[in-house]
Structure formats: C-alpha cells, structure tokens
Amino acid sequence: MPEDWLYSVRMRAADPAGRHLSGAERIVEEPEVPEVAAQLLARALDRGSVVEARISVDGRERSQVHSIPCLPVTDVCLPPGADPRLLLGPVCCSVEVSPSALDAGLRGLREGFRTDGAPTRGAVILDSISGARLDPHLERGVRARHFDYSPTGRDAARKTLEEAGLGHFRTFEALALASKVAWSGVLLELCWSDDGEYRPGYIATRQHGYLRLAEFKPAGAVGGRVFFAEGPQAVPEIIRRLEEEWTLVEPPVRVVRREA
Ligand code: COA
Ligand code: AMP
C-alpha cells in the first residue's frame, strides 16, 4: 500500500431478511487498516441477529482528501412540552427554507417517505421552497460516505462531546456526517433516528451549526434524514460531494448549551 494514500475502511451488516443493521466508516493511514477493520467487524458481529457482515477497503491519494471544519454544537434545552417549531421556525426562515417545505420534511420523518412505511436507506432531498422531492432514487435516498474525523480531531471531538454530556456514539458520528452534509451545499438538515427508542435529533446548517434537541422525535415516528436544497439545479453537485469526495472533519469542536 503506498504511504501517501489514505484508506477508507467500511463495514455493513445485515439480518437474515437482508435488512441493514449496522454500518460505519473510518478513514485511516495504512498501518491502521488491519486493526480498524477488525474493530468494525467486531462491532458488526455484536449485533445479535447479524448473518452477513462486509468490510470494504479502498484508498485515495492524501492530496485528494479535503479537510473540512466541524460544525459547532448547541445543546438546545426547550421547556418541557414545548413545540420544537419554536426553534425550527426562525432557523428555517433565516436560511430560506419555507414553512411548507419544513412541513413536508417533518411529515415525511413522521410517516416515512416510502409507500411501504419503511425508512429510506439514505436521506431524502427536498426543494427548500416547494418541499418537492428532488433526489432520484425514491426508496433509497442519498447516503453521505467517505468521511471521518481527522486523526488528530477524533479523540478531541470525542472528549469534548463526552465532557458536555453528549458522549453517545450516535451524536459523535452524526456530527461528522452533518459537517460533511453542510460542506456539500445542503441548506438545512433534519434528523430523527430510525431506532424507535432513540428520541434525540438535530437540525444542522452551516450558519447555525449542529442544534441538538434531546426530545425531538415524537413517539411512533418512522425517522430518517431530510436535506433541503436550493432547487433542482443544486442537487447533482450536492450528491457528487456527498458520495464521491473524501473529507476529514477537523477540530476544534465547540459545544454550548442554550435555553430556548
Ligand atoms: N441503511 C440501509 N441500508 C444500507 C445502509 C444504511 N445506512 N448503508 C448501506 N446499506 C446497504 C444498502 O442495501 C446498500 O445498497 P444501496 O446503495 O442500493 O442502498 C448496500 O448496503 C451497499 O451500500 P454502500 O454504501 O455501497 O456500502 P459500503 O460498504 O461502501 O458503505 C456504509 C456502507 C454503511 C459505511 C456507508 O453507506 C455509510 O453510511 N457511511 C457513513 C458511515 C458513518 O456514519 N460514518 C461516521 C464516521 S465518524
Ligand atoms: P440513524 O441516525 O442511523 O438512525 O439514521 C437515520 C436515517 O438517516 C436512516 O433511516 C436513513 O434514512 C438516513 N441515513 C443513514 N445513513 C445515512 C448516510 N450515510 N447518509 C445520509 N443519510 C443516512
């Protein structure tokens, strides 16, 4: 393996029905590849019903990998029972996502974007004004890939999040994803996990950073991710960046708490 290359190590695991159970990616230097592949395989096999686990490795010249800033994190505390729209409305307005586009996004996250009610395998892209679906694969959506924290950023990010009481692996990985999504030209991202038990979610924009809400997902919602884009002409470049460009998220990670 040439030394001036970096390597993406990816894992995905599925259950007997072929349903996706777990996935993760690291971008590392060549000597770390065997150990990281073993760690990801162990993570895959840790899921009880896994019967299929795949590890993929491929490389890219280091000079072709982008360093991108980590979005700052705000842990937003809404009063008990408050409507998250108190926060969402002004944020959407300031990045020109219309109220009807926001409604379309929230409805999809609640009821699912697919006819069978299952979550899409990636995020859906909606027009920021009309709320119309813009990505081409209706059952699949689009998946951000080829991103990780930089080697120096990884431990620092984990430590900062843990110290702020946000040490869950989902927050750690979602922050890197949201940083890449914002860098790819998405105006605003909304995320509710598709794990039924997990209620925190976030809104992210380049201007406002990663706004985490502890109780964002309503009970019974399907979950998923929505990316709002500035019209159909913006979509091909967003998808190219999300899928093809390799990015390492750089520190510092900043976390503040805000009462809303
Ligand atoms: N949900 C459902 N199905 C998924 C999936 C997901 N999140 N990710 C992969 N699959 C399944 C799909 O069937 C997919 O086929 P499709 O492209 O038609 O949907 C198939 O696996 C192959 O996916 P692909 O992305 O080509 O596989 P890969 O092995 O190259 O990468 C992942 C798999 C999970 C690593 C990648 O999709 C991903 O999500 N990367 C981001 C990981 C991350 O969160 N990193 C955080 C770093 S801090
Ligand atoms: P999770 O936070 O892992 O529960 O994922 C929530 C939703 O995000 C999933 O249901 C998918 O719709 C979407 N998703 C998962 N992985 C990705 C990805 N790599 N890029 C974009 N969207 C994703």
Side-chain angles (χ1 to χ4, degrees):
M1 287 174 158
E3 274 177 21
D4 52 350
W5 285 51
L6 290 171
Y7 294 87
S8 159
V9 185
R10 298 186 300 286
M11 172 278 285
R12 60 190 163 94
D15 73 6
R19 278 185 299 254
H20 181 78
L21 285 177
S22 171
E25 175 169 5
R26 297 285 315 277
I27 296 177
V28 295
E29 311 223 356
E30 182 256 310
E32 290 177 81
V33 168
E35 188 185 334
V36 167
Q39 285 168 359
L40 292 182
L41 187 58
R43 176 168 162 179
L45 298 178
D46 201 37
R47 298 295 297 251
S49 51
V50 68
V51 293
E52 182 187 339
R54 289 175 192 266
I55 298 286
S56 316
V57 179
D58 49 35
R60 181 158 294 193
E61 267 181 277
R62 194 186 292 263
S63 60
Q64 302 297 311
V65 178
H66 305 272
S67 288
I68 67 169
C70 188
L71 290 179
V73 179
T74 306
D75 190 13
V76 182
C77 304
L78 288 176
D83 186 343
R85 277 173 180 271
L86 282 175
L87 175 77
L88 279 168
V91 171
C92 285
C93 183
S94 74
V95 296
E96 299 187 7
V97 171
S98 74
S100 58
L102 173 62
D103 282 343
L106 291 172
R107 193 178 328 112
L109 290 181
R110 222 173 21 248
E111 298 168 10
F113 286 94
R114 292 170 45 140
T115 45
D116 61 5
T120 45
R121 303 198 291 282
V124 307
I125 304 183
L126 299 185
D127 186 282
S128 58
I129 302 301
S130 69
R133 180 91 184 256
L134 297 178
D135 56 298
H137 304 297
L138 297 185
E139 310 263 290
R140 176 182 185 268
V142 295
R143 273 198 308 280
R145 60 177 188 172
H146 297 321
F147 62 94
D148 192 2
Y149 290 95
S150 69
T152 47
R154 193 171 179 82
D155 288 345
R158 200 188 293 282
K159 185 162 175 278
T160 306
L161 290 172
E162 276 169 5
E163 284 170 358
L166 301 175
H168 198 290
F169 78 93
R170 286 185 183 280
T171 310
F172 178 70
E173 294 184 352
L175 177 60
L177 187 149
S179 299
K180 177 163 193 190
V181 168
W183 175 82
S184 298
V186 167
L187 287 179
L188 182 140
E189 176 187 357
L190 284 178
C191 175
W192 291 348
S193 173
D194 59 31
D195 174 346
E197 304 302 313
Y198 191 77
R199 297 208 47 211
Y202 66 88
I203 318 156
T205 77
R206 240 188 12 236
Q207 296 84 339
H208 303 84
Y210 181 105
L211 306 174
R212 178 188 184 268
L213 289 158
E215 298 198 357
F216 194 9
K217 185 175 77 169
V222 171
R225 278 189 163 86
V226 178
F227 299 161
F228 291 98
E230 205 175 356
Q233 69 288 350
V235 171
E237 177 62 6
I238 287 175
I239 294 179
R240 191 191 67 76
R241 284 187 168 217
L242 287 173
E243 293 185 344
E244 305 308 331
E245 296 291 348
W246 289 35
T247 52
L248 288 175
V249 178
E250 294 288 351
V253 180
R254 296 201 178 84
V255 184
V256 295
R257 254 178 109 78
R258 192 178 104 199
E259 309 286 330

